mmCIF file of all heavy atoms in Angstrom:
data_model
loop_
_atom_site.group_PDB
_atom_site.id
_atom_site.type_symbol
_atom_site.label_atom_id
_atom_site.label_comp_id
_atom_site.label_asym_id
_atom_site.label_seq_id
_atom_site.Cartn_x
_atom_site.Cartn_y
_atom_site.Cartn_z
ATOM 1 N N GLU A 92 39.421 156.221 98.060
ATOM 2 C CA GLU A 92 38.069 156.811 98.021
ATOM 3 C C GLU A 92 36.993 155.716 98.024
ATOM 4 O O GLU A 92 35.903 155.894 97.513
ATOM 5 C CB GLU A 92 37.918 157.739 96.809
ATOM 6 C CG GLU A 92 38.037 157.095 95.448
ATOM 7 C CD GLU A 92 39.475 156.716 95.034
ATOM 8 O OE1 GLU A 92 40.434 156.906 95.847
ATOM 9 O OE2 GLU A 92 39.620 156.222 93.922
ATOM 10 N N VAL A 138 39.232 141.460 101.249
ATOM 11 C CA VAL A 138 38.404 142.452 101.934
ATOM 12 C C VAL A 138 37.001 142.425 101.336
ATOM 13 O O VAL A 138 36.825 142.313 100.126
ATOM 14 C CB VAL A 138 38.993 143.872 101.725
ATOM 15 C CG1 VAL A 138 38.078 144.943 102.312
ATOM 16 C CG2 VAL A 138 40.383 143.972 102.338
ATOM 17 N N THR A 201 28.787 151.691 106.371
ATOM 18 C CA THR A 201 29.761 150.954 105.573
ATOM 19 C C THR A 201 30.656 150.164 106.530
ATOM 20 O O THR A 201 31.137 150.713 107.518
ATOM 21 C CB THR A 201 30.619 151.913 104.725
ATOM 22 O OG1 THR A 201 29.741 152.719 103.936
ATOM 23 C CG2 THR A 201 31.559 151.148 103.813
ATOM 24 N N ARG A 253 17.289 128.208 150.944
ATOM 25 C CA ARG A 253 16.873 129.540 150.539
ATOM 26 C C ARG A 253 17.946 130.180 149.676
ATOM 27 O O ARG A 253 19.103 129.780 149.713
ATOM 28 C CB ARG A 253 16.513 130.409 151.733
ATOM 29 C CG ARG A 253 17.613 130.493 152.795
ATOM 30 C CD ARG A 253 17.282 131.480 153.906
ATOM 31 N NE ARG A 253 15.932 131.376 154.418
ATOM 32 C CZ ARG A 253 15.034 132.361 154.344
ATOM 33 N NH1 ARG A 253 15.336 133.501 153.798
ATOM 34 N NH2 ARG A 253 13.827 132.214 154.838
ATOM 35 N N GLY A 322 18.056 131.522 136.705
ATOM 36 C CA GLY A 322 18.033 130.141 137.187
ATOM 37 C C GLY A 322 18.750 130.088 138.518
ATOM 38 O O GLY A 322 19.868 130.578 138.646
ATOM 39 N N ARG A 327 29.399 123.813 142.946
ATOM 40 C CA ARG A 327 30.582 123.802 143.824
ATOM 41 C C ARG A 327 31.392 122.513 143.651
ATOM 42 O O ARG A 327 30.915 121.537 143.085
ATOM 43 C CB ARG A 327 30.209 124.039 145.273
ATOM 44 C CG ARG A 327 29.349 122.962 145.918
ATOM 45 C CD ARG A 327 28.981 123.330 147.345
ATOM 46 N NE ARG A 327 28.147 124.529 147.381
ATOM 47 C CZ ARG A 327 28.425 125.601 148.140
ATOM 48 N NH1 ARG A 327 29.483 125.617 148.899
ATOM 49 N NH2 ARG A 327 27.611 126.632 148.131
ATOM 50 N N ARG A 347 29.703 121.380 120.123
ATOM 51 C CA ARG A 347 28.936 121.911 118.999
ATOM 52 C C ARG A 347 29.590 123.156 118.424
ATOM 53 O O ARG A 347 29.928 124.086 119.133
ATOM 54 C CB ARG A 347 27.514 122.269 119.443
ATOM 55 C CG ARG A 347 26.655 122.806 118.300
ATOM 56 C CD ARG A 347 25.329 123.346 118.801
ATOM 57 N NE ARG A 347 24.638 124.083 117.756
ATOM 58 C CZ ARG A 347 24.934 125.339 117.400
ATOM 59 N NH1 ARG A 347 25.915 125.993 117.988
ATOM 60 N NH2 ARG A 347 24.262 125.927 116.437
ATOM 61 N N GLY A 410 47.810 126.216 115.539
ATOM 62 C CA GLY A 410 48.861 126.300 114.531
ATOM 63 C C GLY A 410 50.249 126.486 115.110
ATOM 64 O O GLY A 410 51.270 126.286 114.426
ATOM 65 N N LEU A 430 52.465 130.806 120.748
ATOM 66 C CA LEU A 430 51.821 132.111 120.603
ATOM 67 C C LEU A 430 51.394 132.663 121.957
ATOM 68 O O LEU A 430 51.571 133.847 122.243
ATOM 69 C CB LEU A 430 50.597 132.008 119.691
ATOM 70 C CG LEU A 430 50.112 133.406 119.318
ATOM 71 C CD1 LEU A 430 50.734 133.863 118.017
ATOM 72 C CD2 LEU A 430 48.609 133.494 119.263
ATOM 73 N N LEU A 487 32.891 127.470 137.484
ATOM 74 C CA LEU A 487 34.179 126.797 137.485
ATOM 75 C C LEU A 487 34.976 127.203 136.247
ATOM 76 O O LEU A 487 34.397 127.495 135.199
ATOM 77 C CB LEU A 487 33.978 125.294 137.506
ATOM 78 C CG LEU A 487 33.097 124.780 138.662
ATOM 79 C CD1 LEU A 487 32.854 123.289 138.539
ATOM 80 C CD2 LEU A 487 33.741 125.094 140.018
ATOM 81 N N PRO A 519 39.783 104.930 128.355
ATOM 82 C CA PRO A 519 39.221 104.592 129.663
ATOM 83 C C PRO A 519 40.295 104.027 130.611
ATOM 84 O O PRO A 519 40.325 104.360 131.800
ATOM 85 C CB PRO A 519 38.180 103.521 129.347
ATOM 86 C CG PRO A 519 37.780 103.778 127.931
ATOM 87 C CD PRO A 519 38.998 104.354 127.256
ATOM 88 N N ASP A 520 41.144 103.223 130.044
ATOM 89 C CA ASP A 520 42.208 102.621 130.824
ATOM 90 C C ASP A 520 43.114 103.658 131.486
ATOM 91 O O ASP A 520 43.512 103.533 132.632
ATOM 92 C CB ASP A 520 43.051 101.806 129.828
ATOM 93 C CG ASP A 520 43.472 100.523 130.441
ATOM 94 O OD1 ASP A 520 42.646 99.958 131.160
ATOM 95 O OD2 ASP A 520 44.642 100.122 130.205
ATOM 96 N N TYR A 590 28.203 117.256 99.310
ATOM 97 C CA TYR A 590 28.812 117.963 100.434
ATOM 98 C C TYR A 590 30.318 118.010 100.236
ATOM 99 O O TYR A 590 30.967 116.976 100.089
ATOM 100 C CB TYR A 590 28.480 117.270 101.754
ATOM 101 C CG TYR A 590 27.036 117.450 102.165
ATOM 102 C CD1 TYR A 590 26.173 116.360 102.256
ATOM 103 C CD2 TYR A 590 26.534 118.715 102.455
ATOM 104 C CE1 TYR A 590 24.846 116.525 102.615
ATOM 105 C CE2 TYR A 590 25.207 118.893 102.824
ATOM 106 C CZ TYR A 590 24.368 117.795 102.897
ATOM 107 O OH TYR A 590 23.068 117.964 103.259
ATOM 108 N N PRO A 617 20.337 112.224 111.700
ATOM 109 C CA PRO A 617 21.246 111.561 112.640
ATOM 110 C C PRO A 617 22.052 110.459 111.973
ATOM 111 O O PRO A 617 21.526 109.696 111.167
ATOM 112 C CB PRO A 617 20.310 110.965 113.682
ATOM 113 C CG PRO A 617 19.032 111.701 113.556
ATOM 114 C CD PRO A 617 18.928 112.105 112.107
ATOM 115 N N HIS A 762 22.390 72.528 90.665
ATOM 116 C CA HIS A 762 23.735 72.068 90.326
ATOM 117 C C HIS A 762 24.757 73.136 90.693
ATOM 118 O O HIS A 762 24.544 74.335 90.495
ATOM 119 C CB HIS A 762 23.843 71.625 88.863
ATOM 120 C CG HIS A 762 23.745 72.735 87.877
ATOM 121 N ND1 HIS A 762 22.576 73.024 87.233
ATOM 122 C CD2 HIS A 762 24.664 73.626 87.437
ATOM 123 C CE1 HIS A 762 22.775 74.061 86.437
ATOM 124 N NE2 HIS A 762 24.024 74.442 86.537
ATOM 125 N N LEU A 771 36.521 77.355 96.239
ATOM 126 C CA LEU A 771 35.188 77.891 96.520
ATOM 127 C C LEU A 771 34.266 77.612 95.349
ATOM 128 O O LEU A 771 34.717 77.277 94.256
ATOM 129 C CB LEU A 771 35.264 79.401 96.746
ATOM 130 C CG LEU A 771 35.765 79.847 98.115
ATOM 131 C CD1 LEU A 771 35.974 81.346 98.109
ATOM 132 C CD2 LEU A 771 34.788 79.459 99.214
ATOM 133 N N LEU A 876 42.661 91.959 111.989
ATOM 134 C CA LEU A 876 41.965 91.867 110.708
ATOM 135 C C LEU A 876 40.694 92.696 110.688
ATOM 136 O O LEU A 876 40.013 92.812 111.697
ATOM 137 C CB LEU A 876 41.575 90.404 110.440
ATOM 138 C CG LEU A 876 42.719 89.398 110.425
ATOM 139 C CD1 LEU A 876 42.146 87.981 110.315
ATOM 140 C CD2 LEU A 876 43.660 89.687 109.256
ATOM 141 N N TYR A 903 28.062 96.685 115.216
ATOM 142 C CA TYR A 903 29.406 96.086 115.253
ATOM 143 C C TYR A 903 29.668 95.616 116.674
ATOM 144 O O TYR A 903 28.946 95.980 117.595
ATOM 145 C CB TYR A 903 30.453 97.130 114.812
ATOM 146 C CG TYR A 903 30.251 97.543 113.380
ATOM 147 C CD1 TYR A 903 29.328 98.538 113.043
ATOM 148 C CD2 TYR A 903 30.905 96.884 112.351
ATOM 149 C CE1 TYR A 903 29.090 98.873 111.726
ATOM 150 C CE2 TYR A 903 30.677 97.206 111.021
ATOM 151 C CZ TYR A 903 29.761 98.212 110.711
ATOM 152 O OH TYR A 903 29.531 98.527 109.413
ATOM 153 N N GLY A 913 17.032 91.028 117.228
ATOM 154 C CA GLY A 913 15.659 90.779 116.824
ATOM 155 C C GLY A 913 15.636 90.267 115.404
ATOM 156 O O GLY A 913 16.675 90.148 114.752
ATOM 157 N N ASP A 925 24.887 106.024 104.535
ATOM 158 C CA ASP A 925 25.569 106.700 103.427
ATOM 159 C C ASP A 925 26.519 107.785 103.920
ATOM 160 O O ASP A 925 26.277 108.977 103.738
ATOM 161 C CB ASP A 925 24.493 107.283 102.505
ATOM 162 C CG ASP A 925 24.991 107.473 101.091
ATOM 163 O OD1 ASP A 925 25.915 106.757 100.687
ATOM 164 O OD2 ASP A 925 24.442 108.350 100.389
ATOM 165 N N LEU A 979 29.403 107.448 94.332
ATOM 166 C CA LEU A 979 29.322 105.982 94.393
ATOM 167 C C LEU A 979 28.487 105.411 93.253
ATOM 168 O O LEU A 979 27.417 105.922 92.951
ATOM 169 C CB LEU A 979 28.688 105.542 95.714
ATOM 170 C CG LEU A 979 29.548 105.649 96.958
ATOM 171 C CD1 LEU A 979 28.722 105.260 98.186
ATOM 172 C CD2 LEU A 979 30.789 104.757 96.840
#
Side-chain angles (χ1 to χ4, degrees):
E92 63 286 3
V138 175
T201 305
R253 54 174 45 242
R327 65 183 64 232
R347 181 189 169 281
L430 192 93
L487 305 175
D520 220 39
Y590 288 116
H762 69 261
L771 282 172
L876 303 173
Y903 296 84
D925 204 26
L979 285 176

